[in-house]
């Protein structure tokens, strides 16, 4: 049997190859874990700095600003992930992956930090879900293979499906209630009972009007406007993903 000399000790070639393969596999899983951890943290930080309070507090989840702003901020990382995973690996689940990682990170932070440590009720800080829109966008990318078509139809569905997919759990908190002679939603009542910072941005009423719980016409208008912005933002961040995942070589001079 042929052998190679490594530090003066003979070792079969097959044994060295198996050991190198095993170490390489461990390193690959380590790299994947680090990438997932960094991606989750980056998306969570980005989402908190952009969507911020509009998706954090229950009484801020209104039918105008929350419906418009939140999907636009969330689709940014989806567009970048689509380019990286689809162009380089032909994997069509980039949006579902990053949105799932975001929801997991949101639940960890809000349950441990805000519910467990600061004692806010968990329904006051429940995060939004993007699963329906992300699955639709991934499916369109898989079927079409085109980032243009995905931006037009997939990103639009990402914005349009956001409010309906969250209404299953949010609708119960938009039921009108009477408290101290005032008509408000249960979300508003929970917000008033849990005092936060005293800055004007937190003590003002986010959306003015009576019985705004029923949505009326502003919700679909906000959803369609969000769908339009999601299309533009998806294309922009597709090229952001391209810029960050492109390997460039610099030609060196002769020695």
């Amino acid at each position: 049997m042929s052998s190679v000399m490594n530090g003066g000790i003979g070792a079969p070639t097959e044994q060295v190859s198996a050991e190198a393969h095993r170490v390489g596999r461990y390193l690959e899983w380590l790299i994947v874990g680090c990438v997932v951890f960094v991606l989750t943290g980056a998306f969570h930080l980005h989402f908190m700095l952009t969507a911020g309070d509009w998706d954090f507090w229950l009484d801020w989840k209104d039918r105008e600003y929350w419906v418009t702003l939140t999907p636009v901020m969330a689709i940014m990382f989806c567009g970048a992930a689509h380019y990286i995973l689809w162009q380089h690996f032909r994997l069509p689940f980039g949006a579902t992956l990053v949105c799932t990682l975001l929801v997991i990170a949101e639940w960890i932070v809000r349950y441990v930090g805000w519910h467990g440590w600061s004692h806010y009720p968990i329904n006051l800080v429940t995060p939004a879900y993007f699963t329906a829109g992300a699955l639709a966008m991934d499916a369109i990318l898989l079927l079409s293979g085109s980032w243009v078509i995905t931006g037009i139809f997939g990103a639009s569905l990402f914005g349009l499906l956001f409010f309906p997919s969250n209404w299953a759990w949010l609708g119960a908190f938009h039921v009108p209630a009477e408290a101290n002679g005032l008509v408000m939603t249960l979300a508003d009542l929970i917000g008033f009972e849990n005092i936060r910072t005293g800055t004007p941005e937190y003590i003002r009423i986010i959306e003015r009007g009576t019985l705004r719980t029923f949505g009326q016409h502003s919700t679909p208008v906000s959803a369609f406007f969000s769908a339009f912005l999601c299309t533009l933002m998806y294309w922009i961040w597709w090229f952001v993903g391209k810029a960050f995942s492109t390997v460039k070589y610099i030609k060196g001079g002769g020695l």
Side-chain angles (χ1 to χ4, degrees), residues 32-46:
V32 170
C34 293
V35 170
V36 170
F37 181 79
V38 172
L39 181 62
T40 304
F43 196 8
H44 177 263
L45 178 62
H46 156 82

Side-chain angles (χ1 to χ4, degrees), residues 62-128:
D62 69 308
R63 60 190 174 95
E64 293 180 1
Y65 301 104
W66 178 65
V67 176
T68 303
L69 179 67
T70 310
V72 177
M73 298 298 106
I75 204 173
M76 295 180 179
F77 265 62
C78 296
H82 261 189
Y83 179 88
I84 296 173
L85 293 180
W86 178 254
Q87 292 295 112
H88 297 295
F89 306 102
R90 277 300 184 263
L91 298 176
F93 51 78
T96 304
L97 174 64
V98 296
C99 287
T100 302
L101 294 177
L102 174 65
V103 172
I104 293 175
E106 292 288 340
W107 268 111
I108 293 175
V109 170
R110 300 187 189 192
Y111 186 84
V112 175
W114 293 88
H115 177 66
W117 191 2
S118 302
H119 306 293
Y120 281 105
I122 191 61
N123 54 19
L124 179 63
V125 294
T126 302

Side-chain angles (χ1 to χ4, degrees), residues 197-217:
T197 180
T199 58
E201 187 66 22
Y202 279 83
I203 63 176
R204 72 180 179 91
I205 298 177
I206 303 304
E207 182 186 1
R208 300 185 180 277
T210 302
L211 291 181
R212 58 186 173 86
T213 60
F214 299 108
Q216 298 179 3
H217 66 280

